[in-house]
Amino acid sequence: MSVLVSGGAGYIGSVTAEMLLGAGRRVVVVDNLTRGHRSAVPEGAAFVEADVRDSARLEAILGEHGVECVMHFSASSLVGESMTDPGEYFGNNVVGVIRLLEAMHTQGVRDFIFSSTAATYGEPPEVPIPEDAPVRPTNPYGESKATAERILRWYETIHGFRFAALRYFNAAGASRDHGEDHDPETHLIPLALSAAAGERESLAIFGRDYPTPDGTCVRDYIHVQDLADAHILALGKLGETKENAFNLGNGEGYSVLEVLSAVERVTGKQVPAVDAPRRPGDPARLVASSARAKKILGWRPKRVTLDEIVRDAWAWKQRFPEGYGD
Ligand code: UFG
């Protein structure tokens, strides 16, 4: 089976492509390289530099590579950025998904694994969050992904698509060869590691007045290889279940301050930190109930402690101090 991985030159896409190849699948990576890195595309995967919004190009790639399933990672995915540039988020994440689905429909490809997000829930009434919690995003990023999920349901009803929408909580960690390299970097763990390494003066703590035990935001950090595993399991289960939204998290919430402590334990270095105002669009607490993914997909996250996750991110950073170097 040949799998098209859109965004396979990015963080979660490249790790999943690597694991798909390890599981014996053929992989074609499609990435426009605006945020991805050519050298992140795993060896053994075919690579095409293209944008998912280019339907004609996508149709040709689907046909030429005999694609049977699409895993769609390419998207704009920063909560903060979405609060200043909503057009980018609706254009890339909503228009992008429609163009891709249309190209698939034309080519008769109907299996789709979608990178969705915890940001679809907004400020949840209860944590851990089950999949049937209200979808009330507090930022355009979450709104764009929630909209794409609704669009997918119509392609399922009308065109017979089979899909899984995997709602990631906070992806972190690395495989041996693939890790997190964003420009600009905005995520907490890589920024804290970089501050610990002395590459930046300090880390800004965005808000200390949230309704959480220590006043900083709480998130559920999940290892990127565990996320990749879930994609492979979801692919194997397509069409077997009526459920198609799955939360992927560890079910444990850690505050910003707890993450900084973990980074200090793992690196043995101090993280210089300064207080800063809240970042617009940030919900106070996002923690997953992943009971559905465990029950239906048979998903078992393997690297569950915050220290293990941070250790792998730190190991990758030490192996590749310049990231992918492009
Ligand atoms: N934070 C800081 N300082 C920083 C960076 C982040 O205090 O310099 C805080 C944020 O305010 C937030 C937490 O650390 O409370 C985590 O922030 P990240 O930017 O690492 O991640 P987000 O929670 O904003 O978003 C991530 C992904 C989204 C996904 C979301 C789901 O980027 O795509 O997790 O929980 F939707």
Side-chain angles (χ1 to χ4, degrees), residues 23-294:
R25 309 284 191 180
R26 285 195 307 276
V27 172
V28 51
V29 166
V30 172
D31 200 298
N32 65 10
L33 298 182
T34 51
R35 297 240 162 137
H37 310 272
R38 178 63 185 88
S39 55
V41 177
E43 216 173 290
F47 174 68
V48 185
E49 185 174 341
D51 191 296
V52 289
R53 287 165 286 192
D54 184 346
S55 311
R57 194 86 194 285
L58 254 291
E59 281 172 31
I61 299 165
L62 290 166
E64 277 161 25
H65 290 266
V67 171
E68 288 161 87
C69 170
V70 172
M71 292 192 182
H72 180 42
F73 295 89
S74 54
S76 303
S77 63
L78 302 176
V79 169
E81 184 184 63
S82 80
M83 292 294 284
T84 57
D85 190 0
E88 162 69 17
Y89 280 72
F90 295 117
N92 196 12
N93 298 359
V94 179
V95 176
V97 90
I98 296 170
R99 296 258 171 87
L100 179 51
L101 294 173
E102 281 300 304
M104 289 173 66
H105 177 53
T106 305
Q107 288 296 317
V109 182
R110 293 180 308 173
D111 285 356
F112 195 74
I113 310 284
F114 180 58
S115 297
S116 190
T117 172
T120 51
Y121 295 113
E123 198 70 69
E126 51 161 347
V127 294
I129 311 169
E131 285 84 353
D132 53 11
V135 168
R136 285 192 299 236
T138 52
N139 51 65
Y141 168 55
E143 189 74 69
S144 70
K145 290 287 184 172
T147 305
E149 282 195 21
R150 283 199 295 276
I151 290 169
L152 270 167
R153 288 186 213 291
W154 289 109
Y155 276 75
E156 178 186 46
T157 305
I158 296 166
H159 291 321
F161 274 56
R162 306 192 301 179
F163 78 97
L166 304 181
R167 295 178 179 162
Y168 312 155
F169 283 63
N170 286 58
S175 69
R176 187 174 168 278
D177 293 328
H178 295 98
E180 197 164 4
D181 179 6
H182 298 115
D183 185 17
E185 187 55 77
T186 62
H187 292 106
L188 180 61
I189 291 178
L191 285 176
L193 290 173
S194 161
E199 295 165 359
R200 61 185 65 234
E201 219 169 90
S202 62
L203 178 105
I205 297 171
F206 294 146
R208 274 188 184 263
D209 57 348
Y210 284 96
T212 58
D214 66 20
T216 65
C217 283
V218 168
R219 294 288 182 274
D220 182 342
Y221 294 88
I222 177 78
H223 198 291
V224 65
Q225 286 179 300
D226 286 324
L227 286 183
D229 276 343
H231 289 73
I232 294 171
L233 291 167
L235 176 58
K237 295 278 181 186
L238 279 180
E240 280 182 32
T241 160
K242 281 205 321 291
E243 307 293 359
N244 36 28
F246 297 95
N247 287 341
L248 300 177
N250 275 313
E252 289 288 336
Y254 294 99
S255 70
V256 172
L257 297 183
E258 286 173 320
V259 170
L260 299 191
S261 300
V263 167
E264 291 185 340
R265 273 195 303 279
V266 167
T267 61
K269 299 170 196 292
Q270 242 207 316
V271 179
V274 295
D275 290 345
R278 287 184 178 199
R279 188 173 64 178
D282 274 347
R285 288 216 293 170
L286 289 173
V287 179
S289 161
S290 298
R292 183 185 284 175
K294 288 179 180 155

